[in-house]
Amino acid sequence: MASAPRMMFILQRAAPRLTRSFFACRQACKSSSARHQAKRFFASGNPRLSSDGLLSRPQAASPIVKISQSLQSSKTRARFFPETSEKSVAYWLLGSAASVFGIVVFGGLTRLTESGLSITEWRPVTGSLPPRNAEDWAAEFTKYRSSPEFKLLNPHMTLDEFKSIYYMEWAHRIWGRVVGMSFILPVTYFIARRKVSALMAGKIVGIAGLIGFQGFLGWWMVKSGLKDDLFAPGSHPRVSQYRLTAHLGTAFLCYTAMLWNGLSILREHKFLADPQAAMKLLERLKSPELRVFRRSVGALAVLVFCTAMSGGLVAGLDAGLIYNEFPYMGLGLTPPKSELVSDFYSHTPDRSDIWWRNMLENPSLVQLDHRILATTTFTSVMGLWAYTKFSPTLRTLLPAACKKGMHGVVGFVGLQVALGITTLLYLVPLPLASLHQAGSLALLSSVIILGGRIWVPRRAARLVSQRLAKSSRISTKPAT
């Protein structure tokens, strides 16, 4: 004999489902009053049959029913965002990344031309317009003449010379505002118009917040060069190398986030256009034989970023203006130990900070660290390329797009090394130094693109699996 729960389930499935149309009188509903009464009657829920066979309103919903309804409404709200972001979002992200790339290079030019300290105030709104008459220019020039840079470096500067560096810094700040507005406003539009997925909406909001933080870091950096107590008395006025590196690092993170998310959206659309081919590619990328290569590319991206940040320390300390030779530094491959680890940079009586302060504040050791990191990066790239070239397993399993990406990384790292050595030998000329900074971001971009081709995208893999499962259900569904 079947159990009681089993019998209840059978009876429930066998009972007819009474809908509103079952109890509605077609003739009566033709009149507006009858239709109004019917709507009021059925507004409270599905009607039920009482013991005497008459219709009765349902009782108040139980707490379990209310919880179920709440969960259903939350699922409806979760479906506010589409499953995938539109391609227009990807193109906008890539365009924003290109704008950030440009402002990073232009910021390097601003620093190299000693223009970054020409504007001594931070006015995010009113500072959008340059001086418009002679009185405004005289007021700005008076503010600059009270800065340490004018007193120690440019005491004979004329008003026309001041205008040239002022316009350079002003253009850099305006570009930063354009980057922020051209990102924040589209973020609002894409989210309101449901053109991004829920995950992507959170990511672009985070990038927008990072852009705002970057603007604050920019002024925080400039402010360090306007006070005498932040650098040694009588020395060359410059911004703090710590703040400069933080400003540069945040710009690199903004650019990388824009580039990666833009490429991710395009990759999802490409996979969903041909799910079967995408699934074959994903299964190939998941192969255990490619695990070492995947992790090596991730480590390489971190190494390139760290090398670029060490370059920020070199720039902040003007460390590129010493030991302008390669591969030697003076009489040997490294300067004397007494110069690399000097007590001069220690700020504590017990000299407990001597190591890290020399690594971050001693120009000789900072340049040596940058040389070591750059050499390590170049060696790692060439070793990874040799691994893909001479390993029979990788030659068989590695997709063609990954091989092309690896060749691109080799080309960019070779160009970057050549630019770095040339910049050092020629005492940091403006064009070469600017190209070297652009080369670091281009090298990081090539590694990120390579990673996008070899790393397994979990979200894209899940979407492809769902698309294939849906297609399978449709194909196996019997025709009615």
Side-chain angles (χ1 to χ4, degrees):
M1 179 180 292
S3 61
R6 178 63 177 172
M7 291 297 297
M8 292 297 294
F9 175 77
I10 295 174
L11 291 175
Q12 183 182 2
R13 295 296 301 269
R17 296 183 179 180
L18 304 180
T19 62
R20 297 181 181 182
S21 59
F22 180 83
F23 299 99
C25 178
R26 303 297 183 215
Q27 293 297 117
C29 288
K30 290 182 179 180
S31 62
S32 60
S33 61
R35 287 196 300 268
H36 180 68
Q37 292 177 1
K39 289 180 179 179
R40 291 182 58 188
F41 179 80
F42 290 108
S44 59
N46 293 328
R48 300 179 184 272
L49 283 176
S50 62
S51 59
D52 56 359
L54 299 178
L55 291 174
S56 63
R57 297 182 184 276
Q59 301 296 325
S62 64
I64 297 179
V65 174
K66 290 182 179 180
I67 294 175
S68 177
Q69 293 175 351
S70 176
L71 292 176
Q72 290 179 358
S73 62
S74 64
K75 291 180 180 179
T76 303
R77 289 193 297 268
R79 289 194 295 268
F80 175 85
F81 295 101
E83 187 179 46
T84 58
S85 303
E86 294 188 4
K87 283 187 175 182
S88 58
V89 180
Y91 298 139
W92 161 70
L93 283 170
L94 295 178
S96 299
S99 182
V100 173
F101 189 103
I103 196 174
V104 168
V105 177
F106 192 80
L109 290 173
T110 304
R111 183 191 58 80
L112 290 168
T113 56
E114 305 289 349
S115 304
L117 301 177
S118 58
I119 302 179
T120 59
E121 295 177 339
W122 189 39
R123 296 173 294 175
V125 179
T126 58
S128 301
L129 297 176
R132 288 169 289 182
N133 50 52
E135 294 180 359
D136 293 342
W137 277 113
E140 291 294 330
F141 192 35
T142 300
K143 296 175 184 177
Y144 177 69
R145 282 186 294 185
S146 63
S147 66
E149 184 178 72
F150 178 85
K151 295 176 181 179
L152 299 176
L153 188 64
N154 301 319
H156 304 293
M157 176 176 283
T158 63
L159 180 59
D160 291 336
E161 293 172 339
F162 169 72
K163 288 181 180 181
S164 63
I165 64 173
Y166 184 96
Y167 275 123
M168 180 72 75
E169 173 64 12
W170 176 81
H172 181 61
R173 296 191 182 191
I174 288 297
W175 197 339
R177 292 181 175 93
V178 170
V179 169
M181 296 303 297
S182 63
F183 196 89
I184 295 175
L185 293 179
V187 164
T188 306
Y189 170 77
F190 287 136
I191 294 178
R193 299 297 295 176
R194 308 180 187 182
K195 294 182 178 294
V196 293
S197 63
L199 180 61
M200 187 57 61
K203 289 181 178 181
I204 59 178
V205 169
I207 296 174
L210 194 61
I211 292 175
F213 180 65
Q214 171 73 346
F216 165 76
L217 283 179
W219 169 245
W220 186 56
M221 175 191 67
V222 171
K223 190 176 179 180
S224 66
L226 301 176
K227 295 183 178 180
D228 296 330
D229 56 347
L230 294 181
F231 44 86
S235 64
H236 188 292
R238 62 169 65 94
V239 298
S240 168
Q241 74 273 18
Y242 299 110
R243 302 185 186 186
L244 173 65
T245 305
H247 188 54
L248 179 65
T250 308
F252 270 57
L253 291 177
C254 284
Y255 170 80
T256 303
M258 294 173 181
L259 177 65
W260 174 257
N261 287 292
L263 294 177
S264 297
I265 295 175
L266 295 178
R267 180 177 53 196
E268 287 181 3
H269 281 275
K270 182 180 179 181
F271 284 175
L272 294 178
D274 190 355
Q276 294 182 352
M279 182 55 68
K280 293 180 180 179
L281 177 61
L282 291 172
E283 293 297 333
R284 189 175 179 182
L285 294 178
K286 291 179 182 178
S287 175
E289 288 80 3
L290 296 179
R291 183 181 296 113
V292 174
F293 184 77
R294 290 196 303 266
R295 294 178 178 178
S296 299
V297 173
L300 181 61
V302 175
L303 180 59
V304 171
F305 180 83
C306 293
T307 305
M309 294 306 100
S310 72
L313 293 174
V314 171
L317 294 171
D318 289 332
L321 297 178
I322 60 175
Y323 292 113
N324 300 102
E325 52 190 343
F326 189 85
Y328 296 101
M329 297 181 70
L331 299 178
L333 293 176
T334 64
K337 183 179 179 180
S338 58
E339 182 181 347
L340 293 177
V341 185
S342 174
D343 296 339
F344 174 78
Y345 298 97
S346 177
H347 294 179
T348 58
D350 59 352
R351 299 193 306 169
S352 59
D353 61 344
I354 188 172
W355 285 102
W356 71 266
R357 284 196 179 275
N358 273 275
M359 291 181 65
L360 300 177
E361 298 178 3
N362 185 344
S364 299
L365 186 54
V366 167
Q367 188 190 123
L368 177 62
D369 291 340
H370 188 61
R371 290 189 182 204
I372 294 174
L373 285 172
T375 305
T376 304
T377 301
F378 177 78
T379 306
S380 301
V381 170
M382 298 309 298
L384 198 59
W385 171 78
Y387 180 44
T388 62
K389 191 73 173 178
F390 300 106
S391 173
T393 304
L394 259 67
R395 283 188 299 180
T396 304
L397 292 178
L398 202 62
C402 296
K403 296 178 180 178
K404 293 179 180 179
M406 189 69 244
H407 293 160
V409 173
V410 171
F412 277 113
V413 76
L415 177 63
Q416 180 68 350
V417 169
L419 286 172
I421 295 175
T422 308
T423 302
L424 182 67
L425 295 178
Y426 286 93
L427 297 175
V428 196
L430 185 64
L432 289 177
S434 181
L435 287 175
H436 185 51
Q437 182 170 353
S440 64
L441 202 52
L443 176 59
L444 181 61
S445 303
S446 64
V447 177
I448 294 299
I449 292 174
L450 174 61
R453 295 177 179 181
I454 190 60
W455 297 328
V456 180
R458 296 182 180 180
R459 172 179 166 79
R462 178 174 56 84
L463 293 176
V464 170
S465 299
Q466 293 176 355
R467 184 66 59 87
L468 289 176
K470 183 178 179 180
S471 301
S472 178
R473 287 194 302 266
I474 293 176
S475 61
T476 55
K477 185 177 180 180
T480 57

